[in-house]
Amino acid sequence: MTDRILTPDELEAALRAIGAERYHNLHPFHRALHDGRLNKGQVQAWALNRYYYQASIPAKDASLLARLPTTELRREWRRRLEDHDGTQPGTGGVARWLKLTDGLGLDRAYVESLEGLLPGTRFAVEAYVQFVRERSILEAIASSLTELFSPTIISERVAGMLGNYDFVTEETLAYFKPRLTQAPQDSAFALAYVREHARTAEQQTAVLNALRFKCNVLWSMLDALDYAYVVPGHVPPGAFRPGPQA
Ligand code: PQQ
């Protein structure tokens, strides 16, 4: 529990401190991905596993949308669904993520089947969807606040991957460009909501813990990738195995 009630500015500073301490830009797998130290098979494994996160985001947003009490809140949250699912076939973030997996040479039906997922990815993503479904609206909104920190990592990733891998093109990474404007819009709204609605020490503690939880979700996904694809001999049964081309 926070020992006293924080002002909105203090709460925001505490949230930003959590990101500075434990956002997934600090994870060794991301450092290796961005610095060009992974081979193609390891990059494929990252994209294939991260597909499940992307594909689950609209489901978690839809479950929150259904619980929001006002037109204004629902209208704002509905935009996220459109960002990810698009407004017609072939548009939106999930479709753009599949262009990334296509560009890396992965079979689309295999990616969408989720057959090659790591167990750790499955557990982490499902924990996030369940958290948003079951916790208070305030905690659910606060758990999206990792997006405060995503524009920096996305810029770093696009520059790093384009510079360091000959199998990555601007077109392959097209997923990320709209996120550079969508994420700040999303996180500005979520931050304003949290600043206004987390008033008691209990609510403020819950909000800080929701952001820590979400950082843990993202961190665990990278731990699973690091263990399976960087430490030799640790790919679990049934999970994606890079082919000889990689
Ligand atoms: N986070 C959400 C969310 O919690 O609702 C939605 C997204 C993120 C995205 O659509 C992203 O593309 C995304 N990307 C990154 C990244 O590339 O590192 C991080 C995050 C995040 O911090 O949760 C998201």
Side-chain angles (χ1 to χ4, degrees):
M1 189 86 94
T2 53
D3 21 343
R4 63 183 173 81
I5 296 178
L6 305 176
T7 65
D9 283 348
E10 287 171 337
L11 180 62
E12 179 175 339
L15 289 163
R16 289 186 185 280
I18 289 171
E21 180 190 73
R22 55 174 80 188
Y23 190 53
H24 66 172
N25 63 317
L26 300 169
H27 196 285
F29 191 90
H30 263 163
R31 302 260 49 91
L33 175 70
H34 303 164
D35 293 351
R37 284 182 278 117
L38 299 184
N39 59 38
K40 186 171 179 186
Q42 291 168 323
V43 177
Q44 286 175 324
W46 165 75
L48 176 136
N49 277 275
R50 169 76 188 261
Y51 169 75
Y52 188 45
Y53 181 76
Q54 296 305 140
S56 301
I57 291 287
K60 76 94 185 161
D61 284 328
S63 79
L64 177 55
L65 177 63
R67 289 200 287 145
L68 293 174
T70 68
T71 298
E72 288 71 29
L73 282 170
R74 285 193 298 272
R75 190 182 297 127
E76 169 65 27
W77 224 263
R78 198 172 66 214
R79 196 172 40 71
R80 295 184 179 232
L81 282 185
E82 289 177 3
D83 286 348
H84 293 282
D85 279 336
T87 47
Q88 47 199 314
T91 65
V94 180
R96 287 202 318 280
W97 195 269
L98 286 168
K99 294 209 177 109
L100 194 164
T101 56
D102 289 348
L104 291 171
L106 289 164
D107 178 70
R108 198 175 259 232
Y110 176 66
V111 173
E112 287 178 305
S113 75
L114 307 177
E115 273 172 36
L117 277 194
L118 292 172
T121 305
R122 205 179 274 280
F123 286 131
V125 171
E126 286 172 6
Y128 183 33
V129 175
Q130 191 171 333
F131 182 94
V132 170
R133 192 177 294 144
E134 291 178 354
R135 296 299 184 100
S136 67
I137 289 172
L138 183 61
E139 288 168 293
I141 291 180
S143 70
S144 74
L145 281 175
T146 45
E147 284 197 276
L148 278 174
F149 319 113
S150 70
T152 311
I153 191 180
I154 288 175
S155 308
E156 224 176 85
R157 180 180 304 136
V158 170
M161 289 181 74
L162 281 177
N164 289 316
Y165 299 113
D166 56 8
F167 53 86
V168 167
T169 64
E170 243 175 271
E171 202 194 347
T172 325
L173 296 185
Y175 171 79
F176 293 107
K177 206 168 174 198
R179 291 309 301 164
L180 292 173
T181 44
Q182 290 167 351
Q185 197 180 1
D186 290 352
S187 61
F189 180 86
L191 184 60
Y193 183 92
V194 164
R195 283 174 58 111
E196 186 184 340
H197 292 86
R199 297 208 179 115
T200 67
E202 205 172 25
Q203 287 169 330
Q204 293 183 340
T205 303
V207 154
L208 294 168
N209 283 338
L211 183 58
R212 287 191 189 99
F213 162 81
K214 173 66 173 306
C215 287
N216 290 344
V217 165
L218 297 173
W219 197 272
S220 305
M221 287 168 63
L222 295 171
D223 276 351
L225 283 164
D226 215 11
Y227 185 71
Y229 296 107
V230 177
V231 184
H234 285 199
V235 181
F240 166 71
R241 276 176 195 272
Q245 96 287 354

